[in-house]
Amino acid sequence: LTPSCVGVDDTGAVLVGQAAKERLITHPGMTAASFKRLMGSKEVTRLGETAYRPEELSQFVLRSLKEDAEGYLKEPVSDVVISVPAYFNDHQRKATIDAGRLAGLKVERLVNEPTAAALAYGLGDAAEGKYLIFDLGGGTFDVSILDKYEGIMEIRATTGDSGLGGDDFTVIVEQMIAARAKLDLKQLDLVDRARIRRAAE
């Protein structure tokens, strides 16, 4: 519902979600997406004149989600559980907690995204047995084997790739579009390249 996308408008105001995603086309140098992959790294993303760490970009998204939740619940939200890719390492998990703190939230715990997906789907009420949870997001991919028995859900195995997701499929489709149109993506300006990216999406 809220794309993990952050941008800066001409006045320097921060845009989050769909509003930022729309500017990927027209202002690619002022907008960032897929930065969850960078969590726990030293890489920075420059939006206009300002460089942001991945935790700083993520905190904008978390703050937006907090405001949406407060609007829906009609009460303040301070304590949260954040879902993360199951394959996130300790550095990436710590960076996620830091992003939550930057957003003014108390992170009670992190839960793996396949587990969160299983709970949201209603697996808590499902019959006992083994389940395969296949979680392919925009930037990350997880597969987990979950065993449900005697009212307990236990993750038996998890694997994945924190650098593989729908964004990678978009890049391949973008290359196919360029090949069919006989365009060299490297020769296009950023705005034209962003338009092809949007068509690929």
Side-chain angles (χ1 to χ4, degrees), residues 9-42:
D9 70 12
D10 297 335
T11 67
V14 175
L15 304 170
V16 178
Q18 193 61 41
K21 187 174 181 180
E22 295 298 326
R23 289 175 59 90
L24 274 171
I25 298 169
T26 57
H27 298 80
M30 302 285 281
T31 316
S34 299
F35 43 82
K36 183 162 66 170
R37 294 177 171 186
L38 304 177
M39 293 297 279
S41 74
K42 302 292 186 187

PDB file of all heavy atoms in Angstrom, residues 9-42:
ATOM      1  N   ASP A   9      11.111  17.127  -2.906  1.00  0.00           N
ATOM      2  CA  ASP A   9      10.543  18.010  -3.928  1.00  0.00           C
ATOM      3  C   ASP A   9      11.392  19.266  -4.089  1.00  0.00           C
ATOM      4  O   ASP A   9      12.448  19.402  -3.460  1.00  0.00           O
ATOM      5  CB  ASP A   9       9.073  18.327  -3.639  1.00  0.00           C
ATOM      6  CG  ASP A   9       8.879  19.229  -2.427  1.00  0.00           C
ATOM      7  OD1 ASP A   9       9.860  19.809  -1.922  1.00  0.00           O
ATOM      8  OD2 ASP A   9       7.714  19.355  -1.980  1.00  0.00           O
ATOM      9  N   ASP A  10      10.935  20.179  -4.907  1.00  0.00           N
ATOM     10  CA  ASP A  10      11.731  21.364  -5.235  1.00  0.00           C
ATOM     11  C   ASP A  10      11.939  22.289  -4.048  1.00  0.00           C
ATOM     12  O   ASP A  10      12.864  23.100  -4.041  1.00  0.00           O
ATOM     13  CB  ASP A  10      11.065  22.139  -6.384  1.00  0.00           C
ATOM     14  CG  ASP A  10      11.001  21.313  -7.662  1.00  0.00           C
ATOM     15  OD1 ASP A  10      11.837  20.404  -7.815  1.00  0.00           O
ATOM     16  OD2 ASP A  10      10.108  21.575  -8.489  1.00  0.00           O
ATOM     17  N   THR A  11      11.083  22.173  -3.027  1.00  0.00           N
ATOM     18  CA  THR A  11      11.234  23.012  -1.835  1.00  0.00           C
ATOM     19  C   THR A  11      12.080  22.333  -0.761  1.00  0.00           C
ATOM     20  O   THR A  11      12.333  22.897   0.289  1.00  0.00           O
ATOM     21  CB  THR A  11       9.856  23.349  -1.230  1.00  0.00           C
ATOM     22  OG1 THR A  11       9.264  22.146  -0.707  1.00  0.00           O
ATOM     23  CG2 THR A  11       8.938  23.976  -2.264  1.00  0.00           C
ATOM     24  N   GLY A  12      12.479  21.078  -1.014  1.00  0.00           N
ATOM     25  CA  GLY A  12      13.258  20.330  -0.032  1.00  0.00           C
ATOM     26  C   GLY A  12      12.411  19.468   0.873  1.00  0.00           C
ATOM     27  O   GLY A  12      12.941  18.761   1.737  1.00  0.00           O
ATOM     28  N   ALA A  13      11.084  19.491   0.694  1.00  0.00           N
ATOM     29  CA  ALA A  13      10.195  18.657   1.511  1.00  0.00           C
ATOM     30  C   ALA A  13      10.338  17.196   1.092  1.00  0.00           C
ATOM     31  O   ALA A  13      10.518  16.880  -0.086  1.00  0.00           O
ATOM     32  CB  ALA A  13       8.748  19.117   1.353  1.00  0.00           C
ATOM     33  N   VAL A  14      10.254  16.300   2.069  1.00  0.00           N
ATOM     34  CA  VAL A  14      10.400  14.871   1.821  1.00  0.00           C
ATOM     35  C   VAL A  14       9.053  14.282   1.426  1.00  0.00           C
ATOM     36  O   VAL A  14       8.036  14.523   2.079  1.00  0.00           O
ATOM     37  CB  VAL A  14      10.957  14.154   3.069  1.00  0.00           C
ATOM     38  CG1 VAL A  14      10.992  12.645   2.862  1.00  0.00           C
ATOM     39  CG2 VAL A  14      12.350  14.667   3.399  1.00  0.00           C
ATOM     40  N   LEU A  15       9.050  13.506   0.346  1.00  0.00           N
ATOM     41  CA  LEU A  15       7.862  12.799  -0.126  1.00  0.00           C
ATOM     42  C   LEU A  15       8.073  11.314   0.094  1.00  0.00           C
ATOM     43  O   LEU A  15       9.181  10.801  -0.105  1.00  0.00           O
ATOM     44  CB  LEU A  15       7.628  13.074  -1.610  1.00  0.00           C
ATOM     45  CG  LEU A  15       7.502  14.534  -2.029  1.00  0.00           C
ATOM     46  CD1 LEU A  15       7.530  14.647  -3.551  1.00  0.00           C
ATOM     47  CD2 LEU A  15       6.229  15.138  -1.465  1.00  0.00           C
ATOM     48  N   VAL A  16       7.011  10.616   0.484  1.00  0.00           N
ATOM     49  CA  VAL A  16       7.119   9.182   0.770  1.00  0.00           C
ATOM     50  C   VAL A  16       6.001   8.441   0.055  1.00  0.00           C
ATOM     51  O   VAL A  16       4.892   8.956  -0.099  1.00  0.00           O
ATOM     52  CB  VAL A  16       7.029   8.918   2.290  1.00  0.00           C
ATOM     53  CG1 VAL A  16       7.082   7.423   2.600  1.00  0.00           C
ATOM     54  CG2 VAL A  16       8.145   9.633   3.029  1.00  0.00           C
ATOM     55  N   GLY A  17       6.291   7.214  -0.365  1.00  0.00           N
ATOM     56  CA  GLY A  17       5.260   6.352  -0.929  1.00  0.00           C
ATOM     57  C   GLY A  17       4.950   6.662  -2.374  1.00  0.00           C
ATOM     58  O   GLY A  17       5.846   6.944  -3.173  1.00  0.00           O
ATOM     59  N   GLN A  18       3.659   6.643  -2.713  1.00  0.00           N
ATOM     60  CA  GLN A  18       3.235   6.801  -4.100  1.00  0.00           C
ATOM     61  C   GLN A  18       3.644   8.154  -4.679  1.00  0.00           C
ATOM     62  O   GLN A  18       4.041   8.252  -5.827  1.00  0.00           O
ATOM     63  CB  GLN A  18       1.717   6.616  -4.211  1.00  0.00           C
ATOM     64  CG  GLN A  18       1.220   6.459  -5.634  1.00  0.00           C
ATOM     65  CD  GLN A  18       1.798   5.233  -6.332  1.00  0.00           C
ATOM     66  OE1 GLN A  18       1.907   4.166  -5.736  1.00  0.00           O
ATOM     67  NE2 GLN A  18       2.181   5.375  -7.587  1.00  0.00           N
ATOM     68  N   ALA A  19       3.555   9.209  -3.852  1.00  0.00           N
ATOM     69  CA  ALA A  19       3.943  10.547  -4.326  1.00  0.00           C
ATOM     70  C   ALA A  19       5.400  10.568  -4.746  1.00  0.00           C
ATOM     71  O   ALA A  19       5.769  11.176  -5.760  1.00  0.00           O
ATOM     72  CB  ALA A  19       3.688  11.583  -3.235  1.00  0.00           C
ATOM     73  N   ALA A  20       6.250   9.892  -3.977  1.00  0.00           N
ATOM     74  CA  ALA A  20       7.673   9.817  -4.333  1.00  0.00           C
ATOM     75  C   ALA A  20       7.873   8.934  -5.557  1.00  0.00           C
ATOM     76  O   ALA A  20       8.665   9.260  -6.453  1.00  0.00           O
ATOM     77  CB  ALA A  20       8.479   9.289  -3.150  1.00  0.00           C
ATOM     78  N   LYS A  21       7.144   7.825  -5.615  1.00  0.00           N
ATOM     79  CA  LYS A  21       7.308   6.898  -6.732  1.00  0.00           C
ATOM     80  C   LYS A  21       6.966   7.567  -8.063  1.00  0.00           C
ATOM     81  O   LYS A  21       7.619   7.319  -9.075  1.00  0.00           O
ATOM     82  CB  LYS A  21       6.431   5.661  -6.519  1.00  0.00           C
ATOM     83  CG  LYS A  21       6.676   4.577  -7.538  1.00  0.00           C
ATOM     84  CD  LYS A  21       5.914   3.314  -7.213  1.00  0.00           C
ATOM     85  CE  LYS A  21       6.210   2.259  -8.258  1.00  0.00           C
ATOM     86  NZ  LYS A  21       5.507   1.010  -8.001  1.00  0.00           N
ATOM     87  N   GLU A  22       5.947   8.420  -8.060  1.00  0.00           N
ATOM     88  CA  GLU A  22       5.580   9.135  -9.282  1.00  0.00           C
ATOM     89  C   GLU A  22       6.737  10.017  -9.768  1.00  0.00           C
ATOM     90  O   GLU A  22       6.886  10.247 -10.965  1.00  0.00           O
ATOM     91  CB  GLU A  22       4.332   9.991  -9.050  1.00  0.00           C
ATOM     92  CG  GLU A  22       3.071   9.200  -8.753  1.00  0.00           C
ATOM     93  CD  GLU A  22       2.647   8.294  -9.888  1.00  0.00           C
ATOM     94  OE1 GLU A  22       2.846   8.673 -11.060  1.00  0.00           O
ATOM     95  OE2 GLU A  22       2.118   7.199  -9.604  1.00  0.00           O
ATOM     96  N   ARG A  23       7.545  10.508  -8.860  1.00  0.00           N
ATOM     97  CA  ARG A  23       8.649  11.399  -9.235  1.00  0.00           C
ATOM     98  C   ARG A  23       9.891  10.637  -9.698  1.00  0.00           C
ATOM     99  O   ARG A  23      10.854  11.250 -10.148  1.00  0.00           O
ATOM    100  CB  ARG A  23       8.986  12.329  -8.070  1.00  0.00           C
ATOM    101  CG  ARG A  23       7.898  13.380  -7.842  1.00  0.00           C
ATOM    102  CD  ARG A  23       8.175  14.223  -6.625  1.00  0.00           C
ATOM    103  NE  ARG A  23       9.426  14.948  -6.672  1.00  0.00           N
ATOM    104  CZ  ARG A  23       9.583  16.176  -7.170  1.00  0.00           C
ATOM    105  NH1 ARG A  23       8.546  16.815  -7.694  1.00  0.00           N
ATOM    106  NH2 ARG A  23      10.762  16.763  -7.143  1.00  0.00           N
ATOM    107  N   LEU A  24       9.860   9.307  -9.586  1.00  0.00           N
ATOM    108  CA  LEU A  24      10.969   8.524 -10.144  1.00  0.00           C
ATOM    109  C   LEU A  24      11.114   8.794 -11.632  1.00  0.00           C
ATOM    110  O   LEU A  24      12.205   8.752 -12.180  1.00  0.00           O
ATOM    111  CB  LEU A  24      10.735   7.026  -9.921  1.00  0.00           C
ATOM    112  CG  LEU A  24      11.191   6.432  -8.595  1.00  0.00           C
ATOM    113  CD1 LEU A  24      10.691   5.014  -8.452  1.00  0.00           C
ATOM    114  CD2 LEU A  24      12.696   6.483  -8.458  1.00  0.00           C
ATOM    115  N   ILE A  25       9.990   9.083 -12.279  1.00  0.00           N
ATOM    116  CA  ILE A  25      10.008   9.324 -13.720  1.00  0.00           C
ATOM    117  C   ILE A  25      10.578  10.702 -14.035  1.00  0.00           C
ATOM    118  O   ILE A  25      11.468  10.843 -14.865  1.00  0.00           O
ATOM    119  CB  ILE A  25       8.578   9.227 -14.286  1.00  0.00           C
ATOM    120  CG1 ILE A  25       8.025   7.823 -14.057  1.00  0.00           C
ATOM    121  CG2 ILE A  25       8.545   9.584 -15.761  1.00  0.00           C
ATOM    122  CD1 ILE A  25       6.557   7.701 -14.323  1.00  0.00           C
ATOM    123  N   THR A  26      10.058  11.705 -13.339  1.00  0.00           N
ATOM    124  CA  THR A  26      10.415  13.078 -13.691  1.00  0.00           C
ATOM    125  C   THR A  26      11.629  13.616 -12.952  1.00  0.00           C
ATOM    126  O   THR A  26      12.279  14.538 -13.422  1.00  0.00           O
ATOM    127  CB  THR A  26       9.224  14.011 -13.427  1.00  0.00           C
ATOM    128  OG1 THR A  26       8.832  13.887 -12.054  1.00  0.00           O
ATOM    129  CG2 THR A  26       8.050  13.660 -14.320  1.00  0.00           C
ATOM    130  N   HIS A  27      11.921  13.069 -11.788  1.00  0.00           N
ATOM    131  CA  HIS A  27      13.039  13.554 -10.966  1.00  0.00           C
ATOM    132  C   HIS A  27      13.864  12.389 -10.416  1.00  0.00           C
ATOM    133  O   HIS A  27      13.948  12.187  -9.206  1.00  0.00           O
ATOM    134  CB  HIS A  27      12.513  14.405  -9.799  1.00  0.00           C
ATOM    135  CG  HIS A  27      11.774  15.630 -10.232  1.00  0.00           C
ATOM    136  ND1 HIS A  27      10.470  15.591 -10.650  1.00  0.00           N
ATOM    137  CD2 HIS A  27      12.177  16.920 -10.324  1.00  0.00           C
ATOM    138  CE1 HIS A  27      10.078  16.812 -10.969  1.00  0.00           C
ATOM    139  NE2 HIS A  27      11.093  17.630 -10.803  1.00  0.00           N
ATOM    140  N   PRO A  28      14.463  11.594 -11.299  1.00  0.00           N
ATOM    141  CA  PRO A  28      15.182  10.404 -10.831  1.00  0.00           C
ATOM    142  C   PRO A  28      16.349  10.714  -9.903  1.00  0.00           C
ATOM    143  O   PRO A  28      16.700   9.895  -9.058  1.00  0.00           O
ATOM    144  CB  PRO A  28      15.647   9.735 -12.129  1.00  0.00           C
ATOM    145  CG  PRO A  28      15.605  10.811 -13.159  1.00  0.00           C
ATOM    146  CD  PRO A  28      14.517  11.748 -12.758  1.00  0.00           C
ATOM    147  N   GLY A  29      16.957  11.876 -10.024  1.00  0.00           N
ATOM    148  CA  GLY A  29      18.072  12.231  -9.148  1.00  0.00           C
ATOM    149  C   GLY A  29      17.638  12.735  -7.786  1.00  0.00           C
ATOM    150  O   GLY A  29      18.471  12.961  -6.901  1.00  0.00           O
ATOM    151  N   MET A  30      16.310  12.875  -7.606  1.00  0.00           N
ATOM    152  CA  MET A  30      15.765  13.381  -6.345  1.00  0.00           C
ATOM    153  C   MET A  30      14.919  12.325  -5.643  1.00  0.00           C
ATOM    154  O   MET A  30      14.215  12.616  -4.685  1.00  0.00           O
ATOM    155  CB  MET A  30      14.896  14.617  -6.607  1.00  0.00           C
ATOM    156  CG  MET A  30      15.610  15.746  -7.305  1.00  0.00           C
ATOM    157  SD  MET A  30      16.722  16.626  -6.219  1.00  0.00           S
ATOM    158  CE  MET A  30      15.555  17.649  -5.338  1.00  0.00           C
ATOM    159  N   THR A  31      14.973  11.078  -6.126  1.00  0.00           N
ATOM    160  CA  THR A  31      14.102  10.027  -5.618  1.00  0.00           C
ATOM    161  C   THR A  31      14.888   8.731  -5.465  1.00  0.00           C
ATOM    162  O   THR A  31      15.767   8.435  -6.270  1.00  0.00           O
ATOM    163  CB  THR A  31      12.922   9.801  -6.589  1.00  0.00           C
ATOM    164  OG1 THR A  31      12.402  11.065  -6.994  1.00  0.00           O
ATOM    165  CG2 THR A  31      11.824   8.998  -5.946  1.00  0.00           C
ATOM    166  N   ALA A  32      14.541   7.963  -4.431  1.00  0.00           N
ATOM    167  CA  ALA A  32      15.224   6.693  -4.182  1.00  0.00           C
ATOM    168  C   ALA A  32      14.204   5.591  -3.932  1.00  0.00           C
ATOM    169  O   ALA A  32      13.164   5.812  -3.311  1.00  0.00           O
ATOM    170  CB  ALA A  32      16.149   6.814  -2.977  1.00  0.00           C
ATOM    171  N   ALA A  33      14.510   4.396  -4.437  1.00  0.00           N
ATOM    172  CA  ALA A  33      13.689   3.206  -4.198  1.00  0.00           C
ATOM    173  C   ALA A  33      14.633   2.028  -3.995  1.00  0.00           C
ATOM    174  O   ALA A  33      15.836   2.127  -4.262  1.00  0.00           O
ATOM    175  CB  ALA A  33      12.750   2.961  -5.371  1.00  0.00           C
ATOM    176  N   SER A  34      14.119   0.920  -3.514  1.00  0.00           N
ATOM    177  CA  SER A  34      14.903  -0.318  -3.312  1.00  0.00           C
ATOM    178  C   SER A  34      16.069  -0.121  -2.361  1.00  0.00           C
ATOM    179  O   SER A  34      17.081  -0.815  -2.462  1.00  0.00           O
ATOM    180  CB  SER A  34      15.413  -0.870  -4.650  1.00  0.00           C
ATOM    181  OG  SER A  34      14.335  -1.177  -5.490  1.00  0.00           O
ATOM    182  N   PHE A  35      15.956   0.819  -1.428  1.00  0.00           N
ATOM    183  CA  PHE A  35      17.067   1.058  -0.504  1.00  0.00           C
ATOM    184  C   PHE A  35      17.094   0.071   0.651  1.00  0.00           C
ATOM    185  O   PHE A  35      18.071   0.023   1.390  1.00  0.00           O
ATOM    186  CB  PHE A  35      17.035   2.502   0.026  1.00  0.00           C
ATOM    187  CG  PHE A  35      15.676   2.997   0.415  1.00  0.00           C
ATOM    188  CD1 PHE A  35      15.142   2.689   1.645  1.00  0.00           C
ATOM    189  CD2 PHE A  35      14.940   3.764  -0.464  1.00  0.00           C
ATOM    190  CE1 PHE A  35      13.888   3.133   1.997  1.00  0.00           C
ATOM    191  CE2 PHE A  35      13.684   4.220  -0.125  1.00  0.00           C
ATOM    192  CZ  PHE A  35      13.151   3.901   1.122  1.00  0.00           C
ATOM    193  N   LYS A  36      16.064  -0.754   0.785  1.00  0.00           N
ATOM    194  CA  LYS A  36      16.095  -1.770   1.841  1.00  0.00           C
ATOM    195  C   LYS A  36      17.267  -2.716   1.629  1.00  0.00           C
ATOM    196  O   LYS A  36      17.847  -3.219   2.581  1.00  0.00           O
ATOM    197  CB  LYS A  36      14.764  -2.540   1.868  1.00  0.00           C
ATOM    198  CG  LYS A  36      14.702  -3.561   2.991  1.00  0.00           C
ATOM    199  CD  LYS A  36      13.289  -4.018   3.314  1.00  0.00           C
ATOM    200  CE  LYS A  36      12.658  -4.790   2.208  1.00  0.00           C
ATOM    201  NZ  LYS A  36      11.392  -5.428   2.636  1.00  0.00           N
ATOM    202  N   ARG A  37      17.628  -2.919   0.363  1.00  0.00           N
ATOM    203  CA  ARG A  37      18.768  -3.785   0.055  1.00  0.00           C
ATOM    204  C   ARG A  37      20.079  -3.252   0.653  1.00  0.00           C
ATOM    205  O   ARG A  37      21.019  -3.996   0.860  1.00  0.00           O
ATOM    206  CB  ARG A  37      18.958  -3.890  -1.451  1.00  0.00           C
ATOM    207  CG  ARG A  37      17.855  -4.577  -2.166  1.00  0.00           C
ATOM    208  CD  ARG A  37      18.110  -4.559  -3.646  1.00  0.00           C
ATOM    209  NE  ARG A  37      17.143  -5.399  -4.321  1.00  0.00           N
ATOM    210  CZ  ARG A  37      17.185  -5.671  -5.600  1.00  0.00           C
ATOM    211  NH1 ARG A  37      18.142  -5.169  -6.352  1.00  0.00           N
ATOM    212  NH2 ARG A  37      16.281  -6.441  -6.148  1.00  0.00           N
ATOM    213  N   LEU A  38      20.124  -1.953   0.867  1.00  0.00           N
ATOM    214  CA  LEU A  38      21.358  -1.318   1.364  1.00  0.00           C
ATOM    215  C   LEU A  38      21.437  -1.299   2.881  1.00  0.00           C
ATOM    216  O   LEU A  38      22.450  -0.873   3.439  1.00  0.00           O
ATOM    217  CB  LEU A  38      21.442   0.114   0.837  1.00  0.00           C
ATOM    218  CG  LEU A  38      21.373   0.297  -0.677  1.00  0.00           C
ATOM    219  CD1 LEU A  38      21.389   1.773  -1.036  1.00  0.00           C
ATOM    220  CD2 LEU A  38      22.504  -0.451  -1.361  1.00  0.00           C
ATOM    221  N   MET A  39      20.375  -1.743   3.560  1.00  0.00           N
ATOM    222  CA  MET A  39      20.366  -1.699   5.022  1.00  0.00           C
ATOM    223  C   MET A  39      21.591  -2.425   5.577  1.00  0.00           C
ATOM    224  O   MET A  39      21.961  -3.493   5.111  1.00  0.00           O
ATOM    225  CB  MET A  39      19.087  -2.340   5.569  1.00  0.00           C
ATOM    226  CG  MET A  39      17.830  -1.561   5.253  1.00  0.00           C
ATOM    227  SD  MET A  39      17.771   0.073   5.985  1.00  0.00           S
ATOM    228  CE  MET A  39      17.260  -0.326   7.636  1.00  0.00           C
ATOM    229  N   GLY A  40      22.211  -1.800   6.576  1.00  0.00           N
ATOM    230  CA  GLY A  40      23.377  -2.397   7.210  1.00  0.00           C
ATOM    231  C   GLY A  40      24.673  -2.121   6.492  1.00  0.00           C
ATOM    232  O   GLY A  40      25.736  -2.535   6.939  1.00  0.00           O
ATOM    233  N   SER A  41      24.603  -1.396   5.360  1.00  0.00           N
ATOM    234  CA  SER A  41      25.824  -1.071   4.622  1.00  0.00           C
ATOM    235  C   SER A  41      26.202   0.381   4.877  1.00  0.00           C
ATOM    236  O   SER A  41      25.460   1.137   5.497  1.00  0.00           O
ATOM    237  CB  SER A  41      25.617  -1.282   3.114  1.00  0.00           C
ATOM    238  OG  SER A  41      24.819  -0.242   2.576  1.00  0.00           O
ATOM    239  N   LYS A  42      27.358   0.767   4.396  1.00  0.00           N
ATOM    240  CA  LYS A  42      27.830   2.147   4.535  1.00  0.00           C
ATOM    241  C   LYS A  42      27.437   3.011   3.343  1.00  0.00           C
ATOM    242  O   LYS A  42      27.785   4.179   3.269  1.00  0.00           O
ATOM    243  CB  LYS A  42      29.359   2.171   4.678  1.00  0.00           C
ATOM    244  CG  LYS A  42      29.894   1.375   5.854  1.00  0.00           C
ATOM    245  CD  LYS A  42      29.505   2.007   7.168  1.00  0.00           C
ATOM    246  CE  LYS A  42      30.178   1.275   8.327  1.00  0.00           C
ATOM    247  NZ  LYS A  42      29.692   1.766   9.615  1.00  0.00           N
TER     248      LYS A  42
END
